[in-house]
Short mmCIF file of all heavy atoms in Angstrom, two decimals:
data_model
loop_
_atom_site.label_atom_id
_atom_site.label_comp_id
_atom_site.label_asym_id
_atom_site.label_seq_id
_atom_site.Cartn_x
_atom_site.Cartn_y
_atom_site.Cartn_z
N LYS A 5 -15.54 35.65 5.70
CA LYS A 5 -15.29 34.24 5.42
C LYS A 5 -16.47 33.62 4.68
O LYS A 5 -16.30 32.78 3.80
CB LYS A 5 -15.06 33.50 6.74
CG LYS A 5 -14.32 32.22 6.62
CD LYS A 5 -14.09 31.65 8.01
CE LYS A 5 -12.79 30.90 8.07
NZ LYS A 5 -12.55 30.33 9.39
N GLY A 33 -15.97 69.28 -22.70
CA GLY A 33 -15.37 70.36 -23.47
C GLY A 33 -15.93 70.49 -24.87
O GLY A 33 -16.47 71.52 -25.25
N ASP A 37 -17.91 61.82 -28.06
CA ASP A 37 -18.03 60.59 -27.28
C ASP A 37 -16.65 60.15 -26.80
O ASP A 37 -15.69 60.14 -27.57
CB ASP A 37 -18.63 59.46 -28.13
CG ASP A 37 -20.10 59.68 -28.43
OD1 ASP A 37 -20.72 60.57 -27.81
OD2 ASP A 37 -20.64 58.96 -29.29
N VAL A 38 -16.56 59.79 -25.53
CA VAL A 38 -15.32 59.28 -24.94
C VAL A 38 -15.61 57.82 -24.59
O VAL A 38 -16.47 57.54 -23.76
CB VAL A 38 -14.93 60.07 -23.68
CG1 VAL A 38 -13.66 59.52 -23.06
CG2 VAL A 38 -14.78 61.55 -24.00
N ARG A 47 -11.95 55.20 -2.55
CA ARG A 47 -11.49 55.15 -1.16
C ARG A 47 -11.54 56.55 -0.55
O ARG A 47 -11.08 57.52 -1.15
CB ARG A 47 -10.06 54.63 -1.10
CG ARG A 47 -9.51 54.56 0.32
CD ARG A 47 -8.19 53.93 0.34
NE ARG A 47 -8.40 52.52 0.00
CZ ARG A 47 -7.43 51.67 -0.24
NH1 ARG A 47 -6.18 52.06 -0.20
NH2 ARG A 47 -7.70 50.42 -0.53
N LEU A 49 -14.31 58.20 0.00
CA LEU A 49 -15.49 58.91 -0.49
C LEU A 49 -16.75 58.12 -0.13
O LEU A 49 -17.32 57.43 -0.97
CB LEU A 49 -15.41 59.11 -2.01
CG LEU A 49 -14.23 59.91 -2.52
CD1 LEU A 49 -14.15 59.84 -4.03
CD2 LEU A 49 -14.33 61.36 -2.06
N GLY A 71 -23.64 56.46 -7.06
CA GLY A 71 -23.76 56.29 -5.62
C GLY A 71 -24.92 57.11 -5.08
O GLY A 71 -25.84 57.47 -5.81
N ALA A 78 -21.54 65.99 -3.88
CA ALA A 78 -20.39 66.52 -3.13
C ALA A 78 -19.09 66.27 -3.90
O ALA A 78 -18.20 67.13 -3.92
CB ALA A 78 -20.32 65.88 -1.75
N ASP A 81 -19.04 68.76 -6.74
CA ASP A 81 -18.81 70.10 -6.18
C ASP A 81 -17.33 70.28 -5.86
O ASP A 81 -16.75 71.33 -6.12
CB ASP A 81 -19.65 70.32 -4.93
CG ASP A 81 -21.13 70.48 -5.21
OD1 ASP A 81 -21.51 70.67 -6.40
OD2 ASP A 81 -21.92 70.39 -4.26
N SER A 84 -15.37 70.80 -9.11
CA SER A 84 -15.52 72.14 -9.69
C SER A 84 -14.86 73.21 -8.84
O SER A 84 -14.46 74.25 -9.35
CB SER A 84 -16.99 72.46 -9.93
OG SER A 84 -17.69 72.52 -8.70
N SER A 93 -2.41 58.16 -8.09
CA SER A 93 -2.11 57.15 -9.10
C SER A 93 -2.68 55.81 -8.64
O SER A 93 -2.82 55.56 -7.45
CB SER A 93 -0.61 57.03 -9.31
OG SER A 93 0.01 56.61 -8.13
N GLY A 98 -8.20 49.94 -11.11
CA GLY A 98 -8.73 50.69 -9.98
C GLY A 98 -8.12 50.31 -8.65
O GLY A 98 -8.46 50.88 -7.62
N GLU A 102 -2.84 55.30 -4.68
CA GLU A 102 -1.85 56.10 -3.97
C GLU A 102 -2.18 57.56 -4.20
O GLU A 102 -2.43 57.97 -5.34
CB GLU A 102 -0.44 55.83 -4.49
CG GLU A 102 0.03 54.42 -4.30
CD GLU A 102 1.37 54.18 -4.97
OE1 GLU A 102 2.02 55.15 -5.39
OE2 GLU A 102 1.76 53.01 -5.07
#
Side-chain angles (χ1 to χ4, degrees):
K5 201 177 213 181
D37 289 348
V38 179
R47 180 174 291 171
L49 300 171
D81 289 347
S84 64
S93 63
E102 297 174 11

